[in-house]
């Protein structure tokens, strides 16, 4: 099975309502039961980010996000699916349950 990243796109931090959190928990339980679950998590605000650039000698650390954007990744799921069609179905359900747009991307083969 291939692994996919489902990124939850948001424009506000800590924006999930109590009802959305219940729906997300139900979605998590569903994909666990179906054998698609690998890992998931929510992310802190972009203002807590540190950009690390270690390309040229000593690493340079910069506070905050590198890019200014209206949207950011607020959370994610890593899933396993036998093919893209199944992964798209799961991503659509995730979008519905968290009430946000999501982006689906496959991991590169090892």
């Amino acid at each position: 099975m291939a692994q996919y990243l489902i990124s939850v796109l948001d424009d506000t931090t800590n924006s999930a309502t109590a009802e959305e959190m219940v729906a997300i928990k139900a979605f998590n339980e569903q994909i666990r039961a179906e054998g698609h679950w690998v890992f998931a998590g929510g992310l802190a605000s972009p203002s807590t980010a540190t950009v690390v650039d270690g390309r040229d000698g000593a690493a340079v650390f910069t506070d905050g996000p590198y890019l200014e954007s209206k949207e950011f990744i607020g959370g994610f799921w890593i899933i396993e699916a036998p093919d893209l069609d199944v992964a798209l179905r799961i991503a659509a359900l995730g979008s519905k349950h968290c009430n946000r747009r999501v982006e689906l991307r496959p991991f590169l083969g090892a």
Side-chain angles (χ1 to χ4, degrees):
M1 285 223 262
Q3 290 188 336
Y4 295 85
L5 171 66
I6 301 172
S7 301
V8 178
L9 306 177
D10 206 343
D11 60 0
T12 307
T13 59
N14 298 318
S15 62
T17 65
E19 294 81 17
E20 290 168 344
M21 292 304 295
V22 168
I24 291 166
K25 183 177 179 183
F27 174 69
N28 290 345
E29 291 171 2
Q30 177 183 346
I31 62 174
R32 276 188 180 107
E34 293 174 354
H36 298 295
W37 175 273
V38 175
F39 183 77
L43 298 172
S45 164
S47 65
T48 66
T50 302
V51 176
V52 180
D53 185 350
R55 295 176 292 176
D56 295 319
V60 176
F61 303 97
T62 308
D63 290 339
Y66 180 71
L67 298 174
E68 293 295 324
S69 176
K70 291 183 180 183
E71 289 184 321
F72 53 86
I73 298 174
F76 63 92
W77 288 277
I78 298 173
I79 62 165
E80 290 185 329
D83 57 49
L84 179 60
D85 290 336
V86 172
L88 288 168
R89 178 187 62 79
I90 295 167
L93 286 172
S95 174
K96 181 175 183 170
H97 281 79
C98 73
N99 196 32
R100 306 284 183 284
R101 293 181 331 121
V102 302
E103 176 187 80
L104 176 72
R105 294 177 69 181
F107 281 93
L108 297 174

